[in-house]
Amino acid sequence: MNALSRPSLRPERPHAVVIGAGPGGLASAMLLAARGLRVTVLEKDRVVGGRSRTLETEAGYRFDLGPTFFLYPRILGEIFAECGTRLEDEVELIRLDPQYRLVFEAAAGNVTIDATPDLERMEREIAKIDPRDAAGVRPFMAENRRKLAAFRPVLERAFSKAADLMAPDMLRALPLLKPGRSVDADLRRFFRDPRTRLAFSFQSKYLGMSPFRCPSLFTILSFLEYEHGVFHPRGGCGTVATAMARVAADLGVEFRLGTPVDRITFEGERATGVEAGGTLIPAASVVLNGDFAHAMPRLVPDAIRRKWSDKRIERSRYSCSTFMLYLGVEGEFPGLAHHSILLSEGYQRNITEIEQGIVPETPSLYLHNPTATDPSMAPPGHTSLYVLVPVPNLTHGHEWTEADTVRYRKLALDRLRGLGVPDIEQRIRYERIVTPRDWRDDYAVGYGATFNLAHDLRQMLMFRPGNRFGDTKGLYLVGGGTHPGSGLPVIYEGARISANLLLRDLGRAPVSTRI
């Protein structure tokens, strides 16, 4: 053997440990491995994907556990390209048209809108609500195209100090921010009817927030859908996570599933590795992809978290939670859309109740029927239905009880009639329920707040936990609890930001932000 080829003389690659194999952890592992680091991913569950996994039953029903809308694939496509492959070669993405169906209850006008990226058809759909509002569709799109172009540089970099708010890209974007205006208030400039505004603002639920409180920046969410598409990954959103793990493994990433982490180890304020099952795993850098409110108090000592102490985490503001039904149903529903949203007459009242800790009695809800597009999601002649009802998180002092579950299950099934789904009680062949308490206890979601920290102005940009975690060295955050925020494309971008910070700190070349 040539002496120079001996392992002992090879330069040792820096070791990065990633805690959690959710979307952010997987994206980080891919990027770091592509830049030559040795990467180990530790995941407490025996599957990858976190909340973006796909559940599959023995009978062949498949359900996305969490996210069902796959948006803005550009960012993930760039991450795959960094790793020498193409997203479209790894995952089949089906663009939906209509994107989803919006059903306004009888008391709210009994209007059904099939939202489409074809703007001429969309104008005709909006005219069902108010012909005058149809004229606002294209101006809304044009302004939000400018808004995204202005804010994209801001959302692609880290915020760690006050001066970052005065950087040139931020100053250029500020005129479009309108910090004192909510999403709904901003939409009033384009649409007169509150139902039309709701059609372009319910997307704030992706952040677990109210369109009446969510900052006006987030009108870009509905724009992204119409401009860049709503997609269904064949086989469910979990197939994306599986593909990411496959590409990461091909790059040499080691996955240790079923391996919960006990703590992150520190020398002073520098992260030096992790302990898992009593074993110390040294690392040059640690990437934490856990739910922030759940993981941070458990893994990082309070004494070195001056900005994000246990007390601050407790008094922070959190998104809503969700009550979930995953139903395997005998029979098919040929008239049911892939995505349907039932918008209650009292939509605004519902949101206020949720913010106050009150469980709505006439809630809006979302129904996912993936078999409308993808027959592989259920056995032949059967349907997989996913029902999501926004409810309060667990910060209000009420523990979700069995009685709550029984009552809300019946209420949710009754509400499905508003979407054209008949009584299906006798046809249910598989059922799983996830409540706010289950999100907290079974899925490690702090306070059961499914969409993480709220995205108000006091918890955005530098006011959100930093991608390079503030008072420490060598610890980086990914996921919905750090900048830029929640939602799959945003989490992928956050992973790229964190990976670049880590690489620069190790003296390595950063990954590209555009391919």
Side-chain angles (χ1 to χ4, degrees):
M1 177 185 293
N2 186 306
L4 292 177
S5 68
R6 292 175 186 167
S8 60
L9 296 181
R10 292 175 184 166
E12 187 172 347
R13 294 182 297 158
H15 184 208
V17 170
V18 178
I19 303 172
L26 292 170
S28 300
M30 292 169 67
L31 292 170
L32 296 176
R35 279 291 181 265
L37 271 63
R38 182 165 69 93
V39 181
T40 302
V41 177
L42 307 177
E43 168 54 53
K44 66 179 180 60
D45 294 327
R46 296 195 175 276
V47 296
V48 301
R51 274 170 264 175
S52 71
R53 76 187 73 172
T54 298
L55 308 172
E56 185 167 7
T57 75
E58 291 182 1
Y61 297 108
R62 294 171 63 88
F63 308 92
D64 290 325
L65 173 65
T68 59
F69 277 55
F70 194 83
L71 307 172
Y72 204 42
R74 178 191 69 83
I75 298 170
L76 188 58
E78 292 176 357
I79 291 172
F80 272 79
E82 280 283 348
C83 298
T85 187
R86 301 195 318 153
L87 174 60
E88 53 268 39
D89 291 340
E90 304 290 343
V91 181
E92 183 182 354
L93 295 177
I94 305 167
R95 185 166 182 172
L96 303 180
D97 186 8
Q99 297 176 156
Y100 41 77
R101 178 169 294 159
L102 303 175
V103 178
F104 296 89
E105 288 193 295
N110 198 27
V111 179
T112 297
I113 301 297
D114 280 339
T116 170
D118 181 324
L119 294 188
E120 185 174 338
R121 285 165 48 210
M122 189 60 185
E123 288 167 337
R124 291 198 296 269
E125 291 291 309
I126 293 301
K128 296 178 184 176
I129 299 175
D130 187 332
R132 295 169 295 183
D133 282 348
V137 171
R138 292 177 195 265
F140 165 80
M141 293 290 291
E143 177 172 294
N144 278 271
R145 193 173 292 113
R146 293 193 299 272
K147 185 185 288 189
L148 178 62
F151 269 95
R152 181 172 153 179
V154 173
L155 298 175
E156 289 180 341
R157 67 173 175 86
F159 279 77
S160 57
K161 55 187 182 301
D164 290 333
L165 292 173
M166 302 304 292
D169 57 3
M170 189 69 188
L171 294 177
R172 285 192 297 270
L174 275 177
L176 290 168
L177 178 59
K178 305 178 182 69
R181 189 180 288 173
S182 70
V183 165
D184 181 75
D186 200 48
L187 290 173
R188 288 175 185 268
R189 297 183 298 117
F190 302 100
F191 308 118
R192 298 166 56 97
D193 194 294
R195 294 169 298 175
T196 311
R197 297 197 297 274
L198 193 51
F200 287 92
S201 66
F202 79 88
Q203 294 84 356
S204 60
K205 81 172 184 65
Y206 305 156
L207 308 176
M209 287 194 68
S210 157
F212 310 103
R213 294 169 60 88
C214 192
S216 64
L217 165 65
F218 293 107
T219 57
I220 63 174
L221 292 176
S222 58
F223 164 77
L224 283 173
E225 293 177 345
Y226 292 101
E227 184 88 345
H228 297 282
V230 174
F231 295 85
H232 169 73
R234 187 174 296 280
C237 282
T239 60
V240 178
T242 302
M244 295 172 75
R246 182 173 62 245
V247 171
D250 288 345
L251 291 169
V253 173
E254 178 188 2
F255 285 87
R256 300 186 190 179
L257 304 181
T259 306
V261 171
D262 302 315
R263 68 186 183 101
I264 299 170
T265 59
F266 290 87
E267 289 182 5
E269 294 180 345
R270 174 169 290 283
T272 57
V274 303
E275 276 189 11
T279 300
L280 175 63
I281 304 172
S285 307
V286 176
V287 178
L288 177 55
N289 178 215
D291 180 272
F292 181 78
H294 171 88
M296 191 57 63
R298 289 167 172 77
L299 300 182
V300 180
D302 186 57
I304 60 175
R305 287 188 278 112
R306 290 184 291 274
K307 292 180 182 176
W308 286 95
S309 65
D310 287 350
K311 288 183 179 179
R312 181 174 179 185
I313 291 172
E314 289 171 7
R315 66 172 183 262
S316 294
R317 296 164 302 287
Y318 292 90
S319 77
C320 67
S321 188
T322 54
F323 175 83
M324 311 292 303
L325 288 175
Y326 307 90
L327 305 173
V329 181
E330 185 174 358
E332 298 175 328
F333 303 88
L336 193 60
H338 187 114
H339 299 291
S340 298
I341 298 101
L342 177 64
L343 296 164
S344 166
E345 173 195 9
Y347 188 89
Q348 188 167 1
R349 183 183 68 249
N350 283 177
I351 290 174
T352 301
E353 290 172 340
I354 290 169
E355 291 174 341
Q356 294 174 348
I358 301 167
V359 180
E361 292 299 323
T362 311
S364 299
L365 60 79
Y366 161 67
L367 176 65
H368 186 216
N369 172 36
T371 49
T373 302
D374 182 359
S376 75
M377 298 296 287
H382 291 244
T383 304
S384 296
L385 297 178
Y386 160 123
V387 183
L388 179 155
V389 188
V391 294
N393 62 42
L394 298 173
T395 62
H396 303 280
H398 174 71
E399 283 285 311
W400 195 275
T401 66
E402 289 302 318
D404 292 327
T405 299
V406 171
R407 183 177 67 86
Y408 229 59
R409 174 188 181 276
K410 181 179 186 306
L411 186 152
L413 291 177
D414 288 345
R415 297 284 289 153
L416 287 180
R417 293 191 182 95
L419 293 174
V421 178
D423 184 2
I424 59 173
E425 183 81 37
Q426 301 305 314
R427 295 161 56 189
I428 295 173
R429 301 293 176 261
Y430 172 85
E431 179 173 350
R432 182 170 181 173
I433 297 174
V434 175
T435 71
R437 188 176 63 185
D438 298 325
W439 282 123
R440 182 193 64 191
D441 297 345
D442 297 341
Y443 295 102
V445 175
Y447 307 111
T450 322
F451 305 96
N452 219 290
L453 288 162
H455 293 72
D456 57 47
L457 288 175
R458 292 177 294 160
Q459 291 186 164
M460 287 173 57
L461 304 176
M462 66 165 291
F463 305 111
R464 208 164 182 81
N467 301 80
R468 182 196 289 116
F469 187 61
D471 300 323
T472 66
K473 297 178 181 178
L475 176 60
Y476 306 84
L477 303 186
V478 294
T482 190
H483 172 72
S486 294
L488 287 177
V490 181
I491 287 171
Y492 298 141
E493 188 62 73
R496 186 158 57 180
I497 293 170
S498 296
N500 273 337
L501 290 171
L502 186 160
L503 290 165
R504 289 190 181 103
D505 290 346
L506 292 178
R508 297 270 174 148
V511 299
S512 303
T513 56
R514 292 181 177 86
I515 300 298

